[in-house]
Amino acid sequence: MNHISDQCIFCREDGGIPVYLDEMCRVVLTAEPFPGFCRLIWNRHVVEFSDLSATERQHCADMLVATERALRSLLSPVKMNIASLGNITPHLHWHVIPRFTADSHYPQPIWAESLRESRTPTLPPQFIDRLKKAIMTKLDEVKNAGN
Amino acid sequence: MNHISDQCIFCREDGGIPVYLDEMCRVVLTAEPFPGFCRLIWNRHVVEFSDLSATERQHCADMLVATERALRSLLSPVKMNIASLGNITPHLHWHVIPRFTADSHYPQPIWAESLRESRTPTLPPQFIDRLKKAIMTKLDEVKNAGN
Protein backbone atom coordinates (compact mmCIF):
# COMPACT_ATOMS: atom_id res chain seq x y z
CA MET A 1 0.00 0.00 0.00
CA ASN A 2 1.38 3.42 -0.91
CA HIS A 3 1.16 5.74 2.05
CA ILE A 4 1.12 8.97 0.09
CA SER A 5 -0.67 11.24 2.47
CA ASP A 6 -0.97 11.22 6.25
CA GLN A 7 -4.08 13.34 5.76
CA CYS A 8 -5.87 10.72 3.67
CA ILE A 9 -7.85 8.11 5.61
CA PHE A 10 -7.70 5.59 2.72
CA CYS A 11 -3.90 5.93 2.58
CA ARG A 12 -3.72 5.35 6.35
CA GLU A 13 -6.47 2.83 7.09
CA ASP A 14 -8.14 -0.23 5.55
CA GLY A 15 -11.45 1.65 5.41
CA GLY A 16 -13.56 -1.28 6.65
CA ILE A 17 -13.40 -5.01 7.32
CA PRO A 18 -10.85 -6.48 4.86
CA VAL A 19 -12.43 -8.91 2.39
CA TYR A 20 -10.07 -8.90 -0.58
CA LEU A 21 -6.61 -7.42 -1.24
CA ASP A 22 -4.25 -7.45 -4.20
CA GLU A 23 -1.42 -5.24 -5.42
CA MET A 24 -3.73 -2.61 -6.92
CA CYS A 25 -6.85 -2.49 -4.79
CA ARG A 26 -8.86 -3.89 -1.91
CA VAL A 27 -12.50 -4.63 -1.07
CA VAL A 28 -13.76 -3.91 2.44
CA LEU A 29 -17.13 -4.46 4.05
CA THR A 30 -18.39 -1.19 5.57
CA ALA A 31 -20.17 -0.58 8.85
CA GLU A 32 -22.94 1.34 7.04
CA PRO A 33 -26.51 0.23 7.88
CA PHE A 34 -27.02 -1.39 4.46
CA PRO A 35 -26.35 -5.15 4.40
CA GLY A 36 -23.44 -6.07 2.17
CA PHE A 37 -22.36 -2.44 1.53
CA CYS A 38 -18.75 -2.77 0.31
CA ARG A 39 -16.07 -0.34 -0.78
CA LEU A 40 -13.58 -1.05 -3.54
CA ILE A 41 -10.62 1.15 -2.60
CA TRP A 42 -7.64 1.80 -4.86
CA ASN A 43 -4.39 1.20 -2.95
CA ARG A 44 -2.32 4.05 -4.34
CA HIS A 45 -3.50 7.61 -3.88
CA VAL A 46 -5.37 8.44 -7.09
CA VAL A 47 -8.23 10.94 -7.16
CA GLU A 48 -10.39 10.04 -10.17
CA PHE A 49 -11.31 6.87 -12.07
CA SER A 50 -10.01 8.62 -15.20
CA ASP A 51 -6.57 9.00 -13.55
CA LEU A 52 -5.98 5.23 -13.75
CA SER A 53 -3.80 3.72 -16.49
CA ALA A 54 -5.47 1.41 -19.04
CA THR A 55 -4.24 -1.67 -17.15
CA GLU A 56 -5.44 -0.32 -13.81
CA ARG A 57 -8.78 0.71 -15.27
CA GLN A 58 -9.39 -2.77 -16.67
CA HIS A 59 -8.61 -4.33 -13.29
CA CYS A 60 -10.81 -1.79 -11.51
CA ALA A 61 -13.75 -2.61 -13.82
CA ASP A 62 -13.14 -6.36 -13.39
CA MET A 63 -13.08 -5.93 -9.60
CA LEU A 64 -16.28 -3.87 -9.64
CA VAL A 65 -17.98 -6.61 -11.63
CA ALA A 66 -16.60 -9.43 -9.45
CA THR A 67 -17.74 -7.63 -6.27
CA GLU A 68 -21.14 -6.79 -7.73
CA ARG A 69 -21.69 -10.36 -8.98
CA ALA A 70 -20.56 -11.80 -5.62
CA LEU A 71 -23.01 -9.61 -3.70
CA ARG A 72 -25.81 -10.42 -6.16
CA SER A 73 -25.21 -14.16 -5.85
CA LEU A 74 -25.16 -14.08 -2.03
CA LEU A 75 -27.87 -11.52 -1.29
CA SER A 76 -30.19 -11.29 -4.34
CA PRO A 77 -30.69 -7.52 -4.01
CA VAL A 78 -33.44 -5.85 -6.01
CA LYS A 79 -30.79 -3.48 -7.48
CA MET A 80 -27.08 -2.74 -7.22
CA ASN A 81 -25.85 0.83 -6.78
CA ILE A 82 -22.23 1.68 -7.58
CA ALA A 83 -20.68 5.11 -7.19
CA SER A 84 -17.32 6.86 -7.08
CA LEU A 85 -17.92 10.20 -5.33
CA GLY A 86 -15.04 11.11 -2.99
CA ASN A 87 -15.84 14.80 -2.49
CA ILE A 88 -14.81 14.55 1.16
CA THR A 89 -12.21 11.77 0.73
CA PRO A 90 -10.66 12.34 -2.72
CA HIS A 91 -8.89 8.97 -2.92
CA LEU A 92 -10.45 6.68 -5.54
CA HIS A 93 -13.03 4.40 -3.92
CA TRP A 94 -16.24 2.86 -5.18
CA HIS A 95 -19.33 2.33 -3.07
CA VAL A 96 -20.82 -1.04 -4.07
CA ILE A 97 -24.25 -1.22 -2.47
CA PRO A 98 -26.86 -3.98 -2.69
CA ARG A 99 -30.30 -2.36 -2.42
CA PHE A 100 -33.45 -3.90 -0.94
CA THR A 101 -37.05 -2.72 -0.87
CA ALA A 102 -36.86 -3.01 2.94
CA ASP A 103 -33.79 -0.78 3.32
CA SER A 104 -34.17 2.68 4.85
CA HIS A 105 -33.97 4.62 1.55
CA TYR A 106 -35.17 2.41 -1.32
CA PRO A 107 -35.84 3.47 -4.09
CA GLN A 108 -33.97 6.69 -3.29
CA PRO A 109 -30.16 6.92 -3.29
CA ILE A 110 -28.71 6.09 0.14
CA TRP A 111 -27.49 9.71 0.42
CA ALA A 112 -31.04 11.11 0.23
CA GLU A 113 -33.36 11.52 3.20
CA SER A 114 -34.34 8.30 4.94
CA LEU A 115 -37.84 7.05 4.06
CA ARG A 116 -38.34 4.46 6.79
CA GLU A 117 -36.64 2.42 9.48
CA SER A 118 -34.64 -0.33 7.80
CA ARG A 119 -36.19 -3.80 7.96
CA THR A 120 -33.24 -5.57 6.33
CA PRO A 121 -31.77 -8.54 8.22
CA THR A 122 -28.37 -8.39 9.96
CA LEU A 123 -25.80 -10.54 8.17
CA PRO A 124 -24.11 -13.31 10.19
CA PRO A 125 -20.31 -13.12 10.87
CA GLN A 126 -19.84 -15.98 8.39
CA PHE A 127 -20.92 -13.60 5.61
CA ILE A 128 -17.40 -12.13 5.44
CA ASP A 129 -15.88 -15.48 4.54
CA ARG A 130 -18.66 -16.28 2.06
CA LEU A 131 -18.11 -12.93 0.39
CA LYS A 132 -14.33 -13.51 0.16
CA LYS A 133 -14.92 -16.83 -1.57
CA ALA A 134 -17.61 -15.45 -3.88
CA ILE A 135 -15.42 -12.51 -4.97
CA MET A 136 -12.53 -14.90 -5.77
CA THR A 137 -14.87 -17.17 -7.77
CA LYS A 138 -16.44 -14.29 -9.71
CA LEU A 139 -13.06 -12.67 -10.34
CA ASP A 140 -11.78 -15.94 -11.77
CA GLU A 141 -14.82 -16.04 -14.09
CA VAL A 142 -14.24 -12.44 -15.22
CA LYS A 143 -10.48 -12.84 -15.72
CA ASN A 144 -10.31 -16.37 -17.13
CA ALA A 145 -13.64 -17.08 -18.78
CA GLY A 146 -13.69 -13.49 -20.08
CA ASN A 147 -17.31 -12.85 -19.32
CA MET B 1 -31.47 1.42 -30.28
CA ASN B 2 -33.27 -1.64 -28.96
CA HIS B 3 -36.78 -0.73 -27.89
CA ILE B 4 -37.28 -3.53 -25.41
CA SER B 5 -39.80 -2.02 -23.09
CA ASP B 6 -42.48 0.60 -23.63
CA GLN B 7 -42.40 1.13 -19.88
CA CYS B 8 -38.74 2.09 -19.80
CA ILE B 9 -37.99 5.76 -20.42
CA PHE B 10 -34.41 5.01 -21.54
CA CYS B 11 -35.69 2.49 -24.11
CA ARG B 12 -38.18 5.09 -25.39
CA GLU B 13 -36.35 8.42 -25.14
CA ASP B 14 -32.86 9.88 -25.56
CA GLY B 15 -32.83 10.87 -21.89
CA GLY B 16 -31.32 14.32 -22.47
CA ILE B 17 -29.63 16.45 -25.11
CA PRO B 18 -27.76 14.04 -27.44
CA VAL B 19 -23.98 14.56 -27.34
CA TYR B 20 -22.55 11.22 -28.47
CA LEU B 21 -24.04 8.02 -29.93
CA ASP B 22 -22.60 4.71 -31.06
CA GLU B 23 -23.93 1.16 -31.47
CA MET B 24 -23.66 0.35 -27.77
CA CYS B 25 -24.30 3.53 -25.83
CA ARG B 26 -24.93 7.25 -25.83
CA VAL B 27 -23.98 10.32 -23.82
CA VAL B 28 -26.58 12.99 -23.16
CA LEU B 29 -26.37 16.31 -21.35
CA THR B 30 -29.04 16.47 -18.63
CA ALA B 31 -31.26 19.37 -17.59
CA GLU B 32 -30.20 18.93 -13.95
CA PRO B 33 -29.02 22.14 -12.21
CA PHE B 34 -25.37 21.03 -12.17
CA PRO B 35 -23.28 22.38 -15.07
CA GLY B 36 -22.03 19.63 -17.37
CA PHE B 37 -24.07 16.84 -15.68
CA CYS B 38 -24.11 14.06 -18.30
CA ARG B 39 -25.60 10.58 -18.48
CA LEU B 40 -23.94 7.67 -20.21
CA ILE B 41 -26.89 5.45 -21.17
CA TRP B 42 -26.55 1.90 -22.48
CA ASN B 43 -28.64 1.48 -25.65
CA ARG B 44 -29.97 -2.03 -25.06
CA HIS B 45 -32.06 -2.71 -21.99
CA VAL B 46 -29.59 -4.06 -19.41
CA VAL B 47 -30.14 -3.59 -15.68
CA GLU B 48 -26.69 -3.83 -14.06
CA PHE B 49 -23.09 -2.98 -15.03
CA SER B 50 -22.26 -6.61 -14.21
CA ASP B 51 -24.80 -7.77 -16.84
CA LEU B 52 -22.59 -6.46 -19.66
CA SER B 53 -20.37 -8.79 -21.67
CA ALA B 54 -16.58 -8.36 -21.42
CA THR B 55 -16.52 -6.40 -24.69
CA GLU B 56 -19.41 -4.18 -23.63
CA ARG B 57 -17.88 -3.60 -20.19
CA GLN B 58 -14.59 -2.50 -21.72
CA HIS B 59 -16.38 -0.03 -23.99
CA CYS B 60 -18.52 1.22 -21.09
CA ALA B 61 -15.39 1.88 -18.98
CA ASP B 62 -13.67 3.58 -21.93
CA MET B 63 -16.72 5.80 -22.48
CA LEU B 64 -16.91 6.70 -18.78
CA VAL B 65 -13.27 7.74 -18.89
CA ALA B 66 -13.63 9.66 -22.17
CA THR B 67 -16.68 11.53 -20.82
CA GLU B 68 -15.04 12.22 -17.48
CA ARG B 69 -11.82 13.45 -19.12
CA ALA B 70 -13.78 15.63 -21.58
CA LEU B 71 -15.71 17.28 -18.74
CA ARG B 72 -12.54 17.76 -16.70
CA SER B 73 -10.73 19.38 -19.63
CA LEU B 74 -13.60 21.77 -20.38
CA LEU B 75 -14.82 22.66 -16.89
CA SER B 76 -11.97 21.96 -14.41
CA PRO B 77 -14.31 20.68 -11.68
CA VAL B 78 -12.97 20.23 -8.16
CA LYS B 79 -14.13 16.57 -8.29
CA MET B 80 -15.94 14.17 -10.61
CA ASN B 81 -18.79 12.01 -9.30
CA ILE B 82 -19.86 8.92 -11.26
CA ALA B 83 -22.68 6.62 -10.27
CA SER B 84 -24.87 3.84 -11.62
CA LEU B 85 -27.97 3.74 -9.41
CA GLY B 86 -31.15 3.08 -11.40
CA ASN B 87 -33.46 2.11 -8.56
CA ILE B 88 -36.32 3.98 -10.22
CA THR B 89 -35.18 3.47 -13.85
CA PRO B 90 -33.48 0.06 -13.91
CA HIS B 91 -31.88 0.49 -17.34
CA LEU B 92 -28.08 0.82 -17.12
CA HIS B 93 -27.08 4.48 -17.03
CA TRP B 94 -24.23 6.34 -15.39
CA HIS B 95 -24.48 9.79 -13.89
CA VAL B 96 -21.26 11.66 -14.76
CA ILE B 97 -21.25 14.82 -12.68
CA PRO B 98 -18.62 17.56 -12.49
CA ARG B 99 -18.68 19.00 -8.97
CA PHE B 100 -17.85 22.57 -7.95
CA THR B 101 -17.46 24.21 -4.55
CA ALA B 102 -20.16 26.68 -5.66
CA ASP B 103 -22.75 24.02 -6.57
CA SER B 104 -25.83 23.57 -4.38
CA HIS B 105 -24.62 20.42 -2.60
CA TYR B 106 -20.80 20.36 -2.54
CA PRO B 107 -19.17 18.46 -0.82
CA GLN B 108 -22.28 16.33 -0.26
CA PRO B 109 -23.63 13.93 -2.92
CA ILE B 110 -26.12 15.67 -5.23
CA TRP B 111 -28.88 13.40 -3.86
CA ALA B 112 -28.46 14.72 -0.30
CA GLU B 113 -30.15 17.83 1.06
CA SER B 114 -29.19 21.07 -0.65
CA LEU B 115 -26.69 23.19 1.30
CA ARG B 116 -27.00 26.49 -0.56
CA GLU B 117 -28.29 28.18 -3.68
CA SER B 118 -26.05 27.22 -6.59
CA ARG B 119 -23.60 29.90 -7.70
CA THR B 120 -22.27 27.93 -10.67
CA PRO B 121 -22.36 29.69 -14.06
CA THR B 122 -24.81 28.71 -16.82
CA LEU B 123 -23.03 27.04 -19.73
CA PRO B 124 -23.39 28.66 -23.18
CA PRO B 125 -25.21 26.75 -25.98
CA GLN B 126 -21.82 26.22 -27.67
CA PHE B 127 -20.86 23.95 -24.77
CA ILE B 128 -22.73 21.03 -26.38
CA ASP B 129 -20.55 21.14 -29.47
CA ARG B 130 -17.36 21.59 -27.43
CA LEU B 131 -18.31 18.57 -25.33
CA LYS B 132 -19.00 16.45 -28.44
CA LYS B 133 -15.54 17.25 -29.79
CA ALA B 134 -13.81 16.72 -26.45
CA ILE B 135 -15.47 13.31 -25.94
CA MET B 136 -14.36 12.21 -29.43
CA THR B 137 -10.80 13.39 -28.77
CA LYS B 138 -10.60 11.72 -25.37
CA LEU B 139 -12.18 8.51 -26.68
CA ASP B 140 -9.58 8.39 -29.42
CA GLU B 141 -6.84 8.75 -26.79
CA VAL B 142 -8.34 5.97 -24.66
CA LYS B 143 -8.92 3.56 -27.58
CA ASN B 144 -5.85 4.25 -29.68
CA ALA B 145 -3.16 5.50 -27.36
CA GLY B 146 -4.33 2.97 -24.75
CA ASN B 147 -4.11 5.33 -21.82
Side-chain angles (χ1 to χ4, degrees), chain B residues 68-123:
Chain B
E68 185 169 292
R69 288 185 182 167
L71 289 165
R72 290 173 76 183
S73 72
L74 293 174
L75 300 175
S76 302
V78 64
K79 187 73 189 68
M80 290 299 304
N81 289 176
I82 49 182
S84 165
L85 308 178
N87 305 318
I88 292 168
T89 308
H91 173 135
L92 181 62
H93 63 281
W94 289 85
H95 306 280
V96 184
I97 316 159
R99 298 299 307 276
F100 302 91
T101 52
D103 76 37
S104 52
H105 287 66
Y106 185 86
Q108 292 304 313
I110 67 155
W111 304 280
E113 214 172 327
S114 172
L115 297 176
R116 68 185 73 83
E117 204 159 323
S118 176
R119 297 182 308 271
T120 54
T122 303
L123 297 174

Side-chain angles (χ1 to χ4, degrees), chain B residues 1-5 10-12 23 43-45 91:
Chain B
M1 218 150 298
N2 306 321
H3 291 266
I4 299 272
S5 167
F10 291 150
C11 284
R12 275 200 333 260
E23 285 174 15
N43 291 342
R44 74 181 178 94
H45 189 86
H91 173 135

Side-chain angles (χ1 to χ4, degrees), chain A residues 13 22-23 30 32-35 42-43 46 53 55 58 69-70 74 82 85 88 129 136 141 145:
Chain A
E13 297 178 14
D22 66 29
E23 285 174 15
T30 75
E32 307 289 339
F34 293 87
W42 209 250
N43 293 341
V46 169
S53 71
T55 307
Q58 165 106 45
R69 286 185 183 166
L74 294 174
I82 49 183
L85 308 178
I88 292 168
D129 205 49
M136 295 305 293
E141 284 172 21

Side-chain angles (χ1 to χ4, degrees), chain B:
Chain B
M1 218 150 298
N2 306 321
H3 291 266
I4 299 272
S5 167
D6 285 348
Q7 306 305 312
C8 174
I9 194 162
F10 291 150
C11 284
R12 275 200 333 260
E13 296 177 14
D14 287 337
I17 299 168
V19 175
Y20 170 91
L21 173 66
D22 65 29
E23 285 174 15
M24 290 196 220
C25 67
R26 59 193 188 267
V27 177
V28 300
L29 189 63
T30 74
E32 307 289 339
F34 293 87
F37 184 154
C38 288
R39 278 192 199 102
L40 168 60
I41 304 173
W42 210 249
N43 291 342
R44 74 181 178 94
H45 189 86
V46 168
V47 177
E48 304 286 6
F49 181 57
S50 56
D51 290 333
L52 297 179
S53 71
T55 307
E56 290 175 317
R57 184 162 71 244
Q58 165 107 46
H59 185 55
C60 188
D62 287 349
M63 283 302 308
L64 272 177
V65 168
T67 306
E68 185 169 292
R69 288 185 182 167
L71 289 165
R72 290 173 76 183
S73 72
L74 293 174
L75 300 175
S76 302
V78 64
K79 187 73 189 68
M80 290 299 304
N81 289 176
I82 49 182
S84 165
L85 308 178
N87 305 318
I88 292 168
T89 308
H91 173 135
L92 181 62
H93 63 281
W94 289 85
H95 306 280
V96 184
I97 316 159
R99 298 299 307 276
F100 302 91
T101 52
D103 76 37
S104 52
H105 287 66
Y106 185 86
Q108 292 304 313
I110 67 155
W111 304 280
E113 214 172 327
S114 172
L115 297 176
R116 68 185 73 83
E117 204 159 323
S118 176
R119 297 182 308 271
T120 54
T122 303
L123 297 174
Q126 301 92 305
F127 177 75
I128 297 164
D129 205 49
R130 281 180 208 144
L131 181 58
K132 275 182 203 191
K133 286 182 184 135
I135 290 175
M136 295 305 292
T137 303
K138 299 296 179 185
L139 188 61
D140 188 61
E141 284 172 19
V142 168
K143 296 282 191 193
N144 300 321
N147 68 358

